[in-house]
Amino acid sequence: MTVTLSERQQATTRALAEHGAAPGALLPVLHAIQDALGYIPDDALDSIASHFNLSRADVHGVISFYHDFKHAPPARRVLRLCRAEACQSMGGAALEADLRKRLGLGPDEDVNRDGIAIEAAYCFGACACAPAAMLDGELHGRLDLETLTALARGEAELKA
Amino acid sequence: MSVITIYVPGDAGALAVGADAVATAIVAQAQARGTAIKLVRNGSRGMYWLEPLVEVEVAGRRHAYGPVKARDVAGLFEANFLNAGQHPLALGETENLAWLRNQERLTFQRVGVTDPLSLSDYQAHDGVSGLRAALAMAPADIIKAVTDSGLRGRGGAAFPTGIKWKTVAEAAGTQKYIVCNADEGDSGTFADRMLMEGDPLLLIEGMTIAGLAVGATQGYVYIRSEYPHAERAMRAAIEVATAGGFLGADILGSRRAFTLEVRRGAGAYICGEETSLLESIEGKRGQIRFKPPLPAHKGLFGQPTVVNNVLTLATVPVILAKGAQFYGEYGRGRSRGTQPFQLAGNVKQGGLIEKAFGLTLGELIFDWGGGSASGRPVRTAQVGGPLGAYLPPAHFDTPLDYESFAARKAMLGHGGVVVFDDTVDMAAMARFAMEFCAVESCGKCTPCRIGSVRGRELIEHIMAGREVTRNLATLHDLCDTMISASLCALGGMAPFPVLSALEHFPDDFVRAGRDAA
């Protein structure tokens, strides 16, 4: 999925127009761009920087500080797996290892050849329903390998 | 015949286990049977092992069923659950459930009970009474009530709230701010999330009272991006409250103003540290600031700022409504009032338990939690998030209050308890503590930025059996340096889980080495 230059410019212009006026609005602007495009393209940096009277490096510094902000288009499907303690106490680490095997992902690989990515997250606040994961902003708890695999592959009637 | 009200939580934890599918099935069944129902998406009651928990209101009494799956719904209708009919999932009247009845819910009194976005429901359940009381009081009297109640910061640092407010009230500034720290990043904690999703108007009320007390007209709620449901609930509640006239330019006709804005975090644990959070709202990298100056003197945009946790602010209305004395009568020692404890991890009955300070950790884990979910022996519990100590069963008699935990080199923090059974590898948990610190360090100070990386390496060496004695000594040294020399609690407290694991579970480290050798 490629995003054209004009789509990128449009998203940036809209984000700056809608969110750029509030005090300290850089994060809301970056979120709006990423919500629209899935990432923050490098060619948006100049207009963001000039809007806020910052240097390009300043903006880059903010983007790179936060785990959420991506500088490249995301994988087709990104499964965010919680690695925090409560999920570990319910076997989260073993579950992730098994899922990686099923998806054909090595320990240091993030995206498999079908465009399914696993991303580490630290706590979704579903600690009493561990282990938990998030897919497209939807939270899933009490996960087992079957459900998790189905989620990752975008299969199956979930949670029914 | 009147329309029957059915409650299916819209809480993220309930959604995670299928609440939406249950709600959809209920609506479909009711339609197919030509029965008129009113569906309310309430907050969670906090009994997560019973989620999705469906409640049916019959003659003014609520009857609970759970945990309900979508495929159970047809059967529930068959069993006439709309008239509180019997069914294997029936739990009886919600109010009579011992788990709820034995709590002391002050901050969480409405969560799970009301429609989170209904102002009329909110007011019918004692909402807004704290704000009305505050509007009739002088700012100094509001602060006095908060001080007298003994309320301390629920985010973890337990600083007296009234003193913080007084400092801001007395500080000179052209524009003061109320900032709500909703960056609830600690594993095992979810009370802020539950409250924002289940009773968001309460947080708005608490922040408004804080604004009246210190003379701030603008507030920010900084919510972590991992909480999209809470963010949506807060944004919607701000609209509802503004439209209802209890937020905005003229609060309840008082000619006093308070406006609120939600800001979304971007996946940085460190932004739960108050000065990082302020930097982040200002649109900068979330790096911590040197203190002093305190945020109370120079906070957001250099102005005097109250930074309080969600639970702290959400507890203020009940104090104003019922009085400092009423609230202060709960608790023990210098830990006054109630704490919404969060029980999670490998535990049979996990969820939210609001109780006065003072019950013991063991009571929480066994009497409330019913022991481990796996059925295996409980080996340890980590209290207070990823920077909190691991306590062994020998310390489960520790009363849950700030001072008792400090006396055992542990901390209560935000009240989260994560239970582990006997399969846990404490060397691996210690390694994780350092690894997490390395991932989330803001990088400003060396002990945290470098120390956490070195700490993880050392634990890996120990686990691999390489020069165990020497590396253990170095690890202790390193922890000492991090504790003494880090700028904030991340580097300064990440050693606590490590040191507690070393102290209470030394065999895990030696065994790890022996296995590897």
Side-chain angles (χ1 to χ4, degrees):
Chain A
M1 185 174 56
T2 42
V3 183
T4 65
L5 179 63
S6 89
E7 283 173 320
R8 297 199 294 271
Q9 285 168 340
Q10 241 175 36
T12 308
T13 311
R14 193 178 312 131
L16 286 169
E18 280 175 19
H19 303 277
L26 182 52
L27 261 72
V29 165
L30 294 175
H31 273 304
I33 296 172
Q34 183 154 308
D35 286 348
L37 304 175
Y39 72 112
I40 297 159
D42 281 345
D43 48 25
L45 260 60
D46 282 331
S47 36
I48 299 170
S50 90
H51 177 94
F52 288 105
N53 197 21
L54 294 168
S55 73
R56 214 182 131 91
D58 287 332
V59 178
H60 175 80
V62 171
I63 294 172
S64 62
F65 181 86
Y66 295 95
H67 298 306
D68 280 2
F69 296 133
K70 314 287 175 208
H71 58 83
R76 192 164 62 86
R77 188 176 295 112
V78 182
L79 187 66
R80 305 180 66 198
L81 277 183
C82 180
R83 275 189 196 161
E85 289 89 342
C87 286
Q88 289 189 42
S89 78
M90 289 299 282
L95 191 63
E96 177 175 347
D98 288 344
L99 178 69
R100 283 179 172 280
K101 264 184 225 153
R102 287 215 176 165
L103 297 178
L105 280 170
D108 296 320
E109 279 178 302
D110 296 331
V111 190
N112 82 354
R113 71 179 104 123
D114 301 322
I116 302 172
I118 290 183
E119 200 176 276
Y122 296 94
C123 199
F124 296 112
C127 318
C129 302
M134 194 176 268
L135 181 71
D136 295 330
E138 293 230 7
L139 191 57
H140 303 268
R142 290 185 205 144
L143 288 167
D144 54 28
L145 185 59
E146 296 313 316
T147 322
L148 197 58
T149 312
L151 265 180
R153 291 182 175 151
E155 295 164 351
E157 278 293 297
L158 293 161
K159 300 191 290 188
Chain B
M1 189 184 142
S2 63
V3 175
I4 293 164
T5 307
I6 300 182
Y7 296 84
V8 181
D11 172 277
L15 296 178
V17 291
D20 267 349
V22 171
T24 308
I26 288 174
V27 170
Q29 279 288 331
Q31 260 172 7
R33 290 160 193 266
T35 313
I37 59 158
K38 181 185 167 203
L39 181 72
V40 174
R41 304 306 298 270
N42 57 335
S44 170
R45 296 275 191 168
M47 303 180 286
Y48 278 105
W49 76 100
L50 295 175
E51 291 289 0
L53 181 88
V54 176
E55 289 176 86
V56 183
E57 195 171 303
V58 181
R61 315 282 299 172
R62 281 160 75 159
H63 299 259
Y65 296 81
V68 178
K69 290 184 184 306
R71 61 169 176 269
D72 299 323
V73 170
L76 284 169
F77 274 85
E78 290 298 324
N80 197 20
F81 90 127
L82 295 182
N83 279 308
Q86 265 316 306
H87 186 276
L89 295 176
L91 302 163
E93 283 192 34
T94 317
E95 263 181 34
N96 292 339
L97 296 174
W99 218 76
L100 282 176
R101 210 181 49 225
N102 294 332
Q103 298 196 28
E104 288 147 324
R105 288 201 167 187
L106 304 180
T107 309
F108 272 72
Q109 57 180 312
R110 271 177 304 269
V111 175
V113 177
T114 54
D115 178 345
L117 294 176
S118 161
L119 258 183
S120 56
D121 219 4
Y122 185 66
Q123 297 190 73
H125 288 84
D126 290 336
V128 203
S129 47
L131 177 60
R132 286 189 206 282
L135 281 167
M137 292 163 75
D141 293 333
I142 302 176
I143 294 173
K144 185 172 185 308
V146 173
T147 308
D148 290 349
S149 74
L151 178 66
R152 292 163 70 183
R154 296 284 186 255
F159 187 81
T161 307
I163 293 176
K164 187 184 278 188
W165 287 18
K166 190 162 184 279
T167 311
V168 175
E170 288 168 356
T174 48
Q175 170 68 64
K176 297 178 185 178
Y177 295 101
I178 307 297
V179 171
C180 172
N181 184 343
D183 196 63
E184 186 181 51
D186 291 351
S187 174
T189 64
F190 43 83
D192 296 354
R193 178 187 63 66
M194 278 184 70
L195 192 121
M196 289 188 286
E197 291 168 4
D199 197 9
L201 295 165
L202 175 65
L203 178 57
I204 294 172
E205 186 180 345
M207 291 184 73
T208 308
I209 295 170
L212 294 172
V214 306
T217 54
Q218 172 71 43
Y220 289 93
V221 188
Y222 185 92
I223 306 177
R224 58 202 298 264
S225 64
E226 291 86 346
Y227 283 3
H229 308 82
E231 185 190 330
R232 280 196 291 274
M234 282 312 303
R235 287 187 191 278
I238 289 171
E239 278 188 27
V240 166
T242 308
F246 94 103
L247 196 60
D250 184 19
I251 306 160
L252 294 173
S254 67
R255 302 197 179 168
R256 298 167 79 177
F258 190 70
T259 49
L260 258 184
E261 189 181 328
V262 169
R263 285 294 173 91
R264 190 195 306 165
Y269 176 76
I270 191 60
C271 288
E273 197 280 338
E274 60 178 3
T275 63
S276 289
L277 188 154
L278 295 175
E279 290 285 300
S280 189
I281 295 180
E282 290 183 11
K284 300 172 187 157
R285 292 162 66 86
Q287 286 194 301
I288 69 145
R289 297 176 181 171
F290 290 101
K291 286 197 275 195
L294 296 169
H297 291 125
K298 278 180 134 189
L300 189 63
F301 303 113
Q303 299 293 326
T305 304
V306 169
V307 186
N308 276 148
N309 172 255
V310 173
L311 299 182
T312 314
L313 290 161
T315 299
V316 167
V318 71
I319 293 170
L320 271 292
K322 300 206 168 162
Q325 198 191 341
F326 166 83
Y327 189 76
E329 275 169 6
Y330 292 88
R332 61 179 253 141
R334 289 178 50 226
S335 303
R336 306 314 311 173
T338 59
Q339 166 73 40
F341 296 104
Q342 301 123 84
L343 187 57
N346 198 330
V347 66
K348 201 176 286 168
Q349 302 182 161
L352 186 122
I353 300 132
E354 182 174 349
K355 283 289 282 181
F357 289 99
L359 78 160
T360 68
L361 179 58
E363 284 166 353
L364 197 67
I365 295 171
F366 295 104
D367 298 351
W368 291 82
S372 73
S374 61
R376 301 182 65 95
V378 172
R379 183 148 188 250
T380 185
Q382 187 182 30
V383 182
L387 310 178
Y390 287 97
L391 285 99
H395 286 186
F396 285 180
D397 61 347
T398 315
L400 290 157
D401 68 64
Y402 298 123
E403 280 68 34
S404 302
F405 266 66
R408 287 205 151 144
K409 289 183 281 182
M411 63 146 183
L412 198 50
H414 186 50
V417 175
V418 178
V419 180
F420 292 80
D421 72 11
D422 63 349
T423 59
V424 65
D425 174 354
M426 293 309 295
M429 297 320 293
R431 179 184 58 191
F432 176 79
M434 286 293 188
E435 190 181 317
F436 180 72
C437 182
V439 171
E440 298 296 340
S441 174
C442 83
K444 186 149 181 165
C445 72
T446 317
C448 174
R449 184 184 67 243
I450 309 286
S452 55
V453 176
R454 288 287 293 128
R456 192 189 74 179
E457 288 168 6
L458 284 167
I459 297 170
E460 276 171 358
H461 287 317
I462 293 162
M463 290 172 82
R466 285 190 289 269
E467 296 188 79
V468 172
T469 313
R470 207 180 71 123
N471 280 321
L472 276 173
T474 313
L475 180 61
H476 276 282
D477 262 8
L478 176 75
C479 285
D480 198 34
T481 305
M482 288 176 72
I483 291 169
S484 313
S486 295
L487 278 175
C488 83
L490 179 53
M493 294 174 69
F496 289 153
V498 177
L499 291 171
S500 61
L502 283 166
E503 182 183 345
H504 303 304
F505 307 96
D507 291 353
D508 284 28
F509 293 84
V510 182
R511 189 179 60 221
R514 206 170 42 229
D515 291 348

